[in-house]
Amino acid sequence: MGNRETIVDPRGPIIFDIRNLWAYYGEKPAVKGVTCKIPEKRVTAVMGPSGCGKTTFIRCLNRLHELSPGARVEGEIFLRGKNILEIDPVVVRRRVGMVFQKPNPFPTMTIYDNVLAGYKLLGIKLRREEADRLVEEALRKAALWDEVKDSLHKRGTYLSGGQQQRLCIARALAVKPEVLLMDEPTSALDPKSTAKIEELVVELKKSVTIVIVTHNIAQAGRVSDYAAFFYLGELVEFGPTSQLFTVPRDKRTEEFLKGKFG
Amino acid sequence: MRSILWRKFKDRSALLVITVLAFLPALPLFHILYGIFRLGLPAFSWSFFTHLPTPPGEPNGGVGNAIVGTLMLSMLASALAIPVGILSGVYLSEYARGRFGEVVRVAADVLQGVPSIVLGIVGYLWLVKPMGHFSALSGAVALSLMMLPVIVRSTEEILRMLPYTLREASLSLGVNYWRTVIKVLIPTGLVGITTGILVALSRIMGETAPLLFTAFGNPFWNFNPLQPVDALPLTVFKYAISPYQDWIRQAWGASAVLTLMVLGLNLISRILARRLSGDGK
Amino acid sequence: MGWGDPDRIFYRLCWGLSLGMVFLVIGIGITLFWGSLPSLKAFGWHFLVGRIWDPVNEKFGALPFLVGTLITSFGALILTLPFALSSGIFLAEYAPPRVADGLSTVIDLLAGIPSVIYGLWALFYLVPLVRWVEMKLGVIPFGLGLPTASLVLAVMILPYAASIIREVLRMVPHELKEAAYGLGATRWEVIRGVSIPYGLSGIVAGLLLSLGRALGETMAVTMVIGNRSEMPRSPWDLANTMASVIANEFTEASKDIHLSALIEIGLLLFLITLGVNILARIIILRLQVR
C-alpha cells in the first residue's frame, strides 16, 4: 500500500472513489491495495514502467479485467457513490467507455455503423435523423468528422491508424459515457497522429472524465491534470500533475520521472 | 569421404526418381476425371435432369428424383449440423477452459474418424427401426453426424484467430457476451465459417454408404422427409453394378453431375479461403 | 444468476450442445454395442476367429472379413507409400511454391471425388487391367478381388497421405536444414538426413490416419472386391471386407441374428478405426510437445 501522505485527494467533484482495490491473475496480484479518488471532468494520467499494473488498474474501472481467465477483483470502486463491483458489468461499461492500445474498429462494419456500434450491437433501434445526429456529433467530438463525412459508408478498416483510433474514440463517445478510459491510445501511432489525439484529450475533458494510461512521461505532462504513479502493482503516488512532476514525494516517483526505469 | 561426383549423382537421381514417383499417381487421378467427363457429359440431356428413372431399355430415363433427393438430404443435414456445429465451435473457442473442452474436442475427432458405413448403421438403429421404414430424415441424420465435427473444428479455429481486441471493443461498449458472439465474432469470421460448412457439405454430398440403409433410394419423386428418397451416389452405385449398358451410361452421367457439384463446392470454398487470407494482410 | 440473464442462457446453450455432441459419440458406441448383443451372446469370442459366415445356417464368424480388411488396407498402404512419400517430398522440398500450391490444390480437389465414383472407375478401368495381369500370371482371371480393391484404395488414400506428409515436412525448421547445407550436404542428403528423420513420427501418424480411412472405406471396395464371404486362399482371391459385407447384406438380412452379427462387425470396425486414430493422435500430440 502506498504511503498516506503521497496520495493526495483531488479538489472539486469526485467521480471514482477507489478503496483498497486488489486485482489478481490467478494467485498473482497485479494491483495491490490501491486507494485513491479520481476527479470529475479532468484528465488523470496513470504512469509507471511496463508490468506495473497500470493497465490492469484501469481495466478494473469498467470491469473488463475479470474477463481474463482466472482474474479476480477485491475491494470497492464507487462510481458516483455506487460500488460498480455490485452492478451488472454491462451497465458499468455503458457508463465507463474504453479506448485500447491498438485501434480496433469492427472490420465488418462501415464507419457509420462503427460509431453506432454501441446501439446496433445491443439491438437498440434509432430513428434515422437521430442516428445521423449521433454519428455527426460523436465524429465531431473525436475531430474526425471533416475527414470522413464523405466516406461514412466505407469500411472502418480503410482509414489510417490515427483515424481508426479517433473512430474508436467516437464509437466510445457515441454511447455518452461518463468516463473514458484510454489504454496507451497512442502507442501504436505516429507522432502526428499522437499530437492530434493529445489535443483531442484536452478538448474532451470539458464533457467527460478521462483516465489515460501512458508510459510516456512527456505525454502525461502535456495532457493530464492529475497523475498517478504505479510501481510493482502499488499506487506509489497520486496528485496534481504539476505537483507530482516538480516535487515528487516518493523517491521511486522521482527516479521514474528522471528515466531510471525503462 | 565419398567422392563428390558420386554424391552429386545420388542427389540428381533422387530428384529424378522422386519427381517421377510424385507425378505418376496423377495419372489415375486424371484418368478418373477424364472418364467422368468423357463418358458422363454425353449422358446429359434435358430428360436426364428432369425425368424419373426408367427400367433398363426404356429411353429417356433420368435422375431428376436423385438430384432432388441429394439436395434435400444436403439441406436437411445442414439444417441439423450447422446450428449445433457453430454453437459448439463457439463453446470451444470462447468458453472451454480445462478438461471438458478437451473432452468435446476428442469427441469431435472421434466422430470425424467413424467410418461412414457405421454411421449408416447408427442412422438405421436410431430412426429407421423405430419408425418402421426408410426415410430421408434418417439419411440426413447420418450425414449430419459426418458434417458436425468438421463444422465444430473449423468454427473453433476461425473464432480463435480473431484478435482479443475485437471482443474487448464490443464488451467495452457495454455489449453482452452473447451479442458480441452473434453480432461481432460470427460476422467477422463468417467467410471462414462458411468455408468450413462448404467443405463439410462437399464431403457428404457424395457419400453413399450412410444412405444405403437409411434414405435407401426411391425411383419416384419424393419431397417428404419422412419417406425414402433417392440420391445421386445411390443411383451411381445401383446403375454401376447393373448389367445394362443404358444404366451404366447413366451411372457415368450421374457421376459427372455429382462431381461437378462436389468440385464446385470445393472450388467456392477455396476461393473464399483465399479471400480470407487476403483480408488478413 | 437465474435464467433471466441472456449471457447465462447463451453459455448454457453452447455448453449443452457441446455436451450433446459428447453424448452423441458415446451414444454411437452404446447403440452399436446394444445392437450387437444378440450376436455377442450367441458367438462370444468365436465371432472373431470363426472362419465360416453362413447366414442360411446361422453360423457367423467374422475372420474372413477381418482378413479381407487387413489385406486390402495394408496392401493399399504399402502400394501408396512410395508415391505418397515422393509426392510429399516433391511438394515440400523440390517444387517451386507456385507449382506446389497448384499441385496441392489439384490433389486436394481429387481427394474430394466421391468414393462411389472411384468404384465406378475401378469397375471399368482397373478390373480389365487386373484381369489382363492375372492372365499373364496364370492365376484365375477374376479381375475383381483383393488386388483390385487394394489398388483402388491406394489411389483413394494417396492424396490424403501425400498432403499430410507435405505438411509434416514443411514443419521442419529452416535453421536445421540450413545447418546441414552449411556443412556441404546435397539436397538429397538434407532430405534423407534431416527432413525425414525430423518428420518421421509425423509421417507415421499421417500413414496411420490414411490407414484409418482405408479400413472404413466402403463403396469403392464393395464394387470391386467380388463379395465372397469365404476365407481368401490367395492374394488374388475374391473376398469381402468388414465394410463391404455390411453394405451388401445389411438390408437383406431377414434374421435378427444376421443383422446383429453385421452390427457387431460395425462395432468392430468402429473400435479398430478408433484405435488407429487414437494412436495417430497420440503421435501427433507428442510431436506438438516437441
Side-chain angles (χ1 to χ4, degrees):
Chain A
M1 240 182 273
N3 294 319
R4 271 267 142 246
E5 63 272 23
T6 59
I7 312 289
V8 179
D9 282 348
R11 274 169 298 166
I14 301 299
I15 190 152
F16 270 123
D17 183 356
I18 297 150
R19 296 185 194 161
N20 196 20
L21 178 71
W22 291 73
Y24 300 85
Y25 290 101
E27 287 310 303
K28 211 179 123 253
V31 172
K32 303 174 188 166
V34 168
T35 299
C36 67
K37 294 189 170 87
I38 294 188
E40 191 173 351
K41 295 199 175 158
R42 294 281 180 276
V43 178
T44 303
V46 180
M47 303 182 298
S50 42
C52 67
K54 56 191 191 295
T55 294
T56 310
F57 170 67
I58 72 157
R59 288 168 68 91
C60 291
L61 301 184
N62 68 345
R63 299 193 58 182
L64 266 187
H65 168 67
E66 57 208 79
L67 288 170
S68 314
R72 203 152 46 84
V73 180
E74 282 169 12
E76 291 160 314
I77 305 170
F78 292 98
L79 173 61
R80 294 194 202 280
K82 280 198 89 177
N83 187 354
I84 62 165
L85 297 177
E86 287 161 8
I87 310 177
D88 187 344
V90 167
V91 177
V92 174
R93 291 176 202 142
R94 304 282 295 174
R95 297 174 62 187
V96 185
M98 187 157 189
V99 175
F100 300 86
Q101 276 194 28
K102 268 169 73 184
N104 53 0
F106 296 113
T108 53
M109 296 184 194
T110 61
I111 294 173
Y112 187 92
D113 288 344
N114 256 294
V115 176
L116 291 179
Y119 297 90
K120 296 214 157 174
L121 292 178
L122 282 169
I124 299 171
K125 297 264 182 297
L126 295 170
R127 271 177 298 114
R128 183 64 204 262
E129 318 84 79
E130 201 184 345
D132 288 348
R133 195 175 46 75
L134 267 171
V135 170
E136 180 170 348
E137 199 182 296
L139 285 172
R140 276 192 193 282
K141 272 192 190 163
L144 190 60
W145 175 252
D146 292 329
E147 290 159 63
V148 301
K149 64 174 180 241
D150 299 319
S151 45
L152 289 175
H153 296 286
K154 286 193 179 164
R155 297 247 164 148
T157 40
Y158 130 102
L159 299 170
S160 74
Q163 288 174 321
Q164 283 189 17
Q165 192 59 300
R166 277 178 284 145
L167 176 60
C168 294
I169 294 173
R171 180 178 66 191
L173 292 174
V175 293
K176 310 212 166 92
E178 293 155 58
V179 182
L180 186 60
L181 308 173
M182 303 178 103
D183 184 7
E184 303 196 25
T186 59
S187 65
L189 302 181
D190 60 280
K192 220 172 153 189
S193 306
T194 300
K196 253 199 155 139
I197 302 261
E198 285 182 8
E199 266 171 49
L200 185 58
V201 168
V202 176
E203 184 64 30
L204 279 175
K205 72 176 176 189
K206 288 174 192 158
S207 52
V208 61
T209 305
I210 289 176
V211 181
I212 180 170
V213 167
T214 177
H215 61 243
N216 179 335
I217 300 164
Q219 182 171 63
R222 286 192 295 269
V223 302
S224 68
D225 307 300
Y226 283 81
F229 172 63
F230 276 73
Y231 186 62
L232 298 176
E234 281 177 41
L235 176 60
V236 173
E237 191 159 352
F238 184 92
T241 307
S242 50
Q243 188 188 323
L244 192 127
F245 271 50
T246 46
V247 277
R249 298 182 183 184
D250 192 287
K251 214 168 144 29
R252 291 167 290 180
T253 316
E254 195 181 336
E255 284 175 350
F256 176 73
L257 293 171
K258 284 180 185 160
K260 289 238 168 104
F261 333 93
Chain B
M1 197 68 193
R2 273 169 284 179
S3 88
I4 183 80
L5 274 176
W6 172 238
R7 290 174 57 215
K8 278 255 175 211
F9 172 74
K10 261 186 22 182
D11 188 45
R12 288 294 151 85
S13 5
L15 174 61
L16 185 73
V17 171
I18 285 172
T19 310
V20 169
L21 288 183
F23 277 92
L24 264 181
L27 287 179
L29 292 171
F30 279 109
H31 190 252
I32 292 171
L33 274 189
Y34 165 80
I36 292 168
F37 291 115
R38 227 220 57 204
L39 298 170
L41 292 181
F44 282 17
S45 68
W46 181 245
S47 60
F48 181 72
F49 287 105
T50 55
H51 281 202
L52 288 175
T54 52
E58 267 180 53
N60 289 333
V63 294
N65 60 331
I67 294 176
V68 169
T70 289
L71 294 179
M72 181 159 126
L73 287 165
S74 307
M75 281 192 284
L76 278 174
S78 304
L80 292 169
I82 291 174
V84 180
I86 289 184
L87 290 178
S88 298
V90 166
Y91 178 79
L92 286 180
S93 111
E94 302 303 309
Y95 298 112
R97 304 207 167 102
R99 291 239 143 190
F100 182 60
E102 272 320 301
V103 171
V104 175
R105 267 177 217 117
V106 169
D109 285 348
V110 169
L111 194 54
Q112 188 152 18
V114 179
S116 61
I117 185 101
V118 173
L119 294 177
I121 297 180
V122 170
Y124 176 87
L125 293 175
W126 282 359
L127 285 154
V128 176
K129 219 173 161 198
M131 284 169 73
H133 57 85
F134 299 109
S135 63
L137 182 67
S138 59
V141 166
L143 293 179
S144 70
L145 290 176
M146 296 188 69
M147 284 182 88
L148 192 58
V150 182
I151 298 177
V152 171
R153 296 313 298 269
S154 69
T155 304
E156 181 197 357
E157 243 173 69
I158 293 292
L159 292 184
R160 265 172 194 268
M161 272 169 23
L162 299 178
Y164 190 69
T165 55
L166 198 64
R167 295 165 177 89
E168 286 182 334
S170 175
L171 293 169
S172 73
L173 291 169
V175 179
N176 304 352
Y177 210 96
W178 74 277
R179 281 184 191 275
T180 302
V181 171
I182 302 279
K183 298 207 169 177
V184 177
L185 300 185
I186 290 178
T188 309
L190 195 63
V191 176
I193 294 172
T194 314
T195 306
I197 291 172
L198 290 182
V199 167
L201 204 55
S202 77
R203 277 202 198 155
I204 60 136
M205 261 194 165
E207 271 298 334
T208 323
L211 302 181
L212 290 172
F213 4 104
T214 53
F216 189 68
N218 181 347
F220 305 106
W221 295 107
N222 171 39
F223 301 94
N224 181 355
L226 298 180
Q227 291 300 319
V229 282
D230 224 328
L232 282 168
L234 287 174
T235 306
V236 175
F237 179 52
K238 184 177 154 204
Y239 283 4
I241 57 176
S242 81
Y244 314 111
Q245 270 313 308
D246 186 42
W247 275 16
I248 288 167
R249 197 177 57 84
Q250 290 188 39
W252 285 105
S255 299
V257 180
L258 199 55
T259 306
L260 287 175
M261 283 166 120
V262 170
L263 290 191
L265 277 177
N266 246 311
L267 225 51
I268 296 172
S269 66
R270 245 153 230 289
I271 292 166
L272 281 180
R274 188 153 299 171
R275 229 187 70 189
L276 185 69
S277 59
D279 276 353
K281 276 169 201 165
Chain C
M1 287 289 201
W3 280 100
D5 181 5
D7 266 351
R8 205 74 205 146
I9 296 171
F10 185 70
Y11 169 78
R12 286 275 165 215
L13 180 68
C14 294
W15 177 82
L17 289 174
S18 303
L19 186 68
M21 191 167 66
V22 176
F23 279 129
L24 214 55
V25 173
I26 297 170
I28 288 172
I30 291 176
T31 306
L32 292 172
F33 181 73
W34 194 259
S36 313
L37 267 182
S39 164
L40 281 166
K41 275 186 195 150
F43 310 115
W45 287 108
H46 294 293
F47 192 76
L48 291 179
V49 291
R51 295 159 147 264
I52 309 293
W53 179 268
D54 184 357
V56 179
N57 295 311
E58 297 187 13
K59 284 197 75 171
F60 295 102
L63 192 63
F65 314 127
L66 286 167
V67 170
T69 301
L70 289 182
I71 291 177
T72 48
S73 302
F74 277 98
L77 198 62
I78 290 163
L79 280 171
T80 215
L81 182 61
F83 300 102
L85 208 53
S86 300
S87 294
I89 293 174
F90 180 78
L91 291 173
E93 306 273 350
Y94 287 125
R98 258 164 192 283
V99 178
D101 280 353
L103 222 58
S104 305
T105 308
V106 172
I107 287 181
D108 290 349
L109 284 179
L110 289 169
I113 292 180
S115 153
V116 70
I117 297 180
Y118 278 97
L120 177 68
W121 172 79
L123 208 49
F124 288 93
Y125 292 103
L126 270 187
V127 168
L129 183 73
V130 172
R131 187 176 293 139
W132 181 77
V133 173
E134 284 172 335
M135 283 198 305
K136 292 274 163 210
L137 290 172
V139 294
I140 307 169
F142 290 119
L144 302 166
L146 291 169
T148 326
S150 305
L151 269 175
V152 70
L153 274 179
V155 172
M156 291 176 75
I157 60 173
L158 188 129
Y160 189 65
S163 68
I164 296 180
I165 292 173
R166 177 197 68 203
E167 286 311 310
V168 169
L169 291 179
R170 276 192 185 164
M171 275 168 25
V172 178
H174 245 281
E175 306 84 72
L176 275 186
K177 290 201 257 176
E178 274 169 7
Y181 281 123
L183 295 171
T186 64
R187 208 161 180 180
W188 169 241
E189 286 161 352
V190 171
I191 292 170
R192 231 196 58 174
V194 178
S195 298
I196 292 181
Y198 187 90
L200 193 61
S201 53
I203 293 172
V204 172
L207 291 175
L208 277 176
L209 288 174
S210 310
L211 181 69
R213 288 221 155 171
L215 288 169
E217 182 47 58
T218 312
M219 296 320 294
V221 174
T222 304
M223 290 162 86
V224 297
I225 196 153
N227 300 316
R228 197 173 68 175
S229 302
E230 284 167 32
M231 211 48 193
R233 260 157 278 150
S234 82
W236 303 96
D237 214 348
L238 301 179
N240 241 334
T241 65
M242 302 167 79
S244 77
V245 73
I246 299 173
N248 272 315
E249 297 186 4
F250 201 84
T251 50
E252 289 155 14
S254 49
K255 296 172 187 155
D256 283 348
I257 188 74
H258 188 187
L259 200 65
S260 178
L262 289 170
I263 295 171
E264 189 178 346
I265 292 179
L267 176 67
L268 287 175
L269 193 55
F270 174 70
L271 293 176
I272 292 171
T273 45
L274 186 64
V276 170
N277 283 330
I278 286 177
L279 199 61
R281 304 266 164 210
I282 290 173
I283 295 174
I284 291 171
L285 223 62
R286 285 231 186 117
L287 198 71
Q288 280 168 347
V289 169
R290 185 178 67 185

